[in-house]
Amino acid sequence: MNDTTQFATFMLLLLAFWPSYNLVLALFVWWRPKPGPEDQGSKHPLEYWIIIPALNEERVVANTVRSALALDGARTPVQVVVVDDGSDDRTPHVLAQIEDHRLHVIRREPPNARKGKGEALNHAFQYVRDIAVSEGKTHRVVIGVIDGDGRGAPGMLSEITQYFAERSVGAVQCRVRIHNRGDLLAFLQDLEFSCVVDASQSLRDVVGTVGLGGNGQFVRLSTLMRLGDAPWSACLVEDLELGLRIHLDGQRIRYATRATITQQGLVDVKRLLRQRTRWGQGNLQCLSYVPKLLRARHITSIALIEFLQYLLTPWLVAPMTLVICALLGLNVYGQITQDDVFGLVAIGPEAWTSMLLWAGALVLPGLLWGLVHRLKHGDEPLWRALLVGLAYPGFLILGSVSTLRALFRYFTGRNMWAKTERLAEEPVLKAPKAA
């Protein structure tokens, strides 16, 4: 086998890997029995303090606060803490219009304000901790984080409470969906969160490597206290780092497949790139935890492989995307000029087979996830689900561009925190009064 044939065989295997990996991941969701906690009733009563970080959230914060207050129940009492992180819009005015004794508003003023989401969360954590310590309730309090545009599903706290019945569980991460998915770009983000990420997190739940997300994370107060006065760091993805710290501390994180948080999807490509660049840069910052994971004796080999996979994979996607785009361009050039480019391009009778392989490798994963979305959720017509599946490869290319931008920003020392902007929303009904 000459070098050209070896290279062609390698590229064929590379093309086959991507759709095969997605197929296995999708099938896992259907094959695996629905994961869930055993119903423990009221043996482990918990109190929930939901933190909502708010920086210029006038468009969405009222809906978010009312939705969070509505999660209150007889077995899952709720208090809501909004951290107004130096907003200079109408956020303070909007919050002042909500009269409820369960709502606590903390205003942070410059120069302490606007230093990132982690700083705001730590400020609220210390506020809740001091109250819980004074009342002797640190073992009963769970802190949840819901972003300024987040909406919790009714009854979700009952499922989360059941997970916390297991003392080894230090945190629970909820499933995330997008509620403005009428826009194609927002629908692509819903496909990503509710199908691809959902499947990945379900797999991680089996091997014990569930990661925390910025929206819909619930952590025991006692777990956070073990990590010091500032459990959330200045990392650009403070949620990922917190999850790694909890795992290294020997506690388990579970993934709740039914408890769902919805949030706004971005409908502007430029803003999406800025958001994903921040995520990618934060992921790169978390690579410093790899040596600690390698030294942790309580982490199994399978768990270690999975940790390394989701820390390192984003940095393999970008160069692989560039390679595939280059090879695709080479094929287009070869077909136009009928030049086999040293045997790398199939021309003549074999050209159609080559093009079908390329098309299948690029398009099939997205169509597969579109079908999964339709079968799993049933809230979008089949034609839309398949359409968003066809657009999925382009969405992945945007992610690769963000990763390249993140690398540039990281190595040039640009660590400024960029906030995600919100869209205006219609008001929701008022939250019910506490019992």
Side-chain angles (χ1 to χ4, degrees):
M1 184 180 293
N2 57 41
D3 292 342
T4 301
T5 304
Q6 290 179 346
F7 181 79
T9 302
F10 170 75
M11 292 313 303
L12 183 62
L13 291 174
L14 182 64
L15 284 175
F17 169 77
W18 174 239
S20 300
Y21 170 77
N22 282 268
L23 177 61
V24 170
L25 195 59
L27 288 176
F28 172 79
V29 177
W30 299 108
W31 165 81
R32 184 191 176 196
K34 291 295 182 183
E38 295 181 1
D39 189 355
Q40 298 291 331
S42 58
K43 294 180 181 179
H44 301 269
L46 298 175
E47 296 182 11
Y48 288 86
W49 287 72
I50 296 176
I51 300 174
I52 301 173
L55 171 58
N56 292 339
E57 300 283 15
E58 64 175 353
R59 295 177 175 178
V60 295
V61 72
N63 285 349
T64 301
V65 169
R66 293 190 178 106
S67 296
L69 290 170
L71 297 176
D72 185 276
R75 295 184 178 181
T76 55
V78 167
Q79 301 279 330
V80 175
V81 181
V82 178
V83 187
D84 181 0
D85 201 28
S87 298
D88 54 16
D89 64 353
R90 295 180 67 255
T91 296
H93 175 75
V94 172
L95 292 171
Q97 303 304 307
I98 304 175
E99 297 181 4
D100 196 303
H101 70 273
R102 298 167 296 164
L103 174 61
H104 309 251
V105 179
I106 304 174
R107 171 77 179 180
R108 284 164 55 85
E109 299 287 354
N112 296 321
R114 299 193 178 206
K115 292 184 178 180
K117 183 179 175 182
E119 288 276 0
L121 293 176
N122 287 330
H123 191 81
F125 155 72
Q126 294 162 14
Y127 174 84
V128 175
R129 179 197 60 192
D130 292 345
I131 293 176
V133 169
S134 66
E135 297 179 353
K137 296 181 178 180
T138 56
H139 63 292
R140 294 178 54 188
V141 172
V142 172
I143 289 183
V145 177
I146 295 180
D147 285 344
D149 59 341
R151 309 284 182 271
M156 62 179 291
L157 297 185
S158 296
E159 180 189 357
I160 293 171
T161 298
Q162 293 170 34
Y163 281 105
F164 280 123
E166 185 180 345
R167 294 305 302 173
S168 63
V169 174
V172 177
Q173 174 61 43
C174 298
R175 182 176 64 176
V176 176
R177 292 206 63 189
I178 301 298
H179 53 242
N180 61 323
R181 54 185 176 273
D183 179 90
L184 179 61
L185 187 58
F187 192 3
L188 279 163
Q189 293 159 71
D190 187 60
L191 182 77
E192 174 190 37
F193 286 123
S194 71
C195 294
V196 184
V197 173
D198 178 65
S200 299
Q201 288 278 56
S202 296
L203 177 60
R204 292 169 189 162
D205 195 46
V206 173
V207 299
T209 60
V210 172
L212 289 180
N215 204 4
Q217 58 176 279
F218 288 83
V219 190
R220 292 186 195 272
L221 176 61
S222 58
T223 296
L224 294 172
M225 290 174 64
R226 290 171 60 153
L227 301 178
D229 288 336
W232 286 277
S233 72
C235 177
L236 294 176
V237 282
E238 74 295 322
D239 48 304
L240 174 59
E241 184 171 18
L242 175 62
L244 291 171
R245 294 179 69 191
I246 292 174
H247 282 297
L248 287 170
D249 193 48
Q251 299 184 70
R252 189 178 181 189
I253 302 177
R254 295 298 307 274
Y255 179 62
T257 57
R258 296 185 298 274
T260 304
I261 292 284
T262 67
Q263 64 186 41
Q264 277 191 2
L266 294 173
V267 298
D268 178 83
V269 171
K270 183 177 180 180
R271 293 176 180 174
L272 179 70
L273 286 173
R274 183 170 65 180
Q275 178 198 66
R276 299 308 171 93
T277 298
R278 172 167 59 85
W279 291 0
Q281 193 172 354
N283 186 282
L284 184 57
Q285 292 172 335
C286 287
L287 289 179
S288 63
Y289 281 86
V290 170
K292 298 177 183 178
L293 292 169
L294 292 172
R295 293 194 298 266
R297 295 183 178 180
H298 65 277
I299 294 178
T300 66
S301 299
I302 295 177
L304 178 61
I305 292 172
E306 179 60 22
F307 277 127
L308 296 177
Q309 184 269 328
Y310 79 76
L311 282 174
L312 297 175
T313 295
W315 306 105
L316 299 177
V317 170
M320 288 310 303
T321 300
L322 292 176
V323 170
I324 290 174
C325 287
L327 289 173
L328 184 59
L330 197 65
N331 270 271
V332 172
Y333 168 81
Q335 299 308 319
I336 293 174
T337 62
Q338 288 298 294
D339 182 356
D340 66 359
V341 192
F342 305 107
L344 298 178
V345 177
I347 58 175
E350 299 178 351
W352 284 106
T353 302
S354 175
M355 287 187 287
L356 286 174
L357 286 173
W358 272 98
L362 294 174
V363 174
L364 282 179
L367 291 176
L368 173 65
W369 289 118
L371 184 60
V372 168
H373 190 286
R374 170 61 184 173
L375 296 175
K376 186 178 181 66
H377 303 301
D379 50 16
E380 295 289 342
L382 179 61
W383 70 268
R384 278 203 88 217
L386 295 179
L387 176 63
V388 82
L390 286 173
Y392 188 61
F395 184 70
L396 293 178
I397 291 175
L398 289 178
S400 297
V401 172
S402 299
T403 303
L404 293 172
R405 292 179 64 192
L407 283 167
F408 173 78
R409 289 181 59 83
Y410 180 81
F411 288 113
T412 55
R414 300 182 183 184
N415 295 315
M416 184 64 67
W417 182 77
K419 178 189 177 299
T420 301
E421 298 180 42
R422 313 295 187 199
L423 302 172
E425 296 181 336
E426 293 295 325
V428 299
L429 298 176
K430 294 184 178 180
K433 296 294 183 182

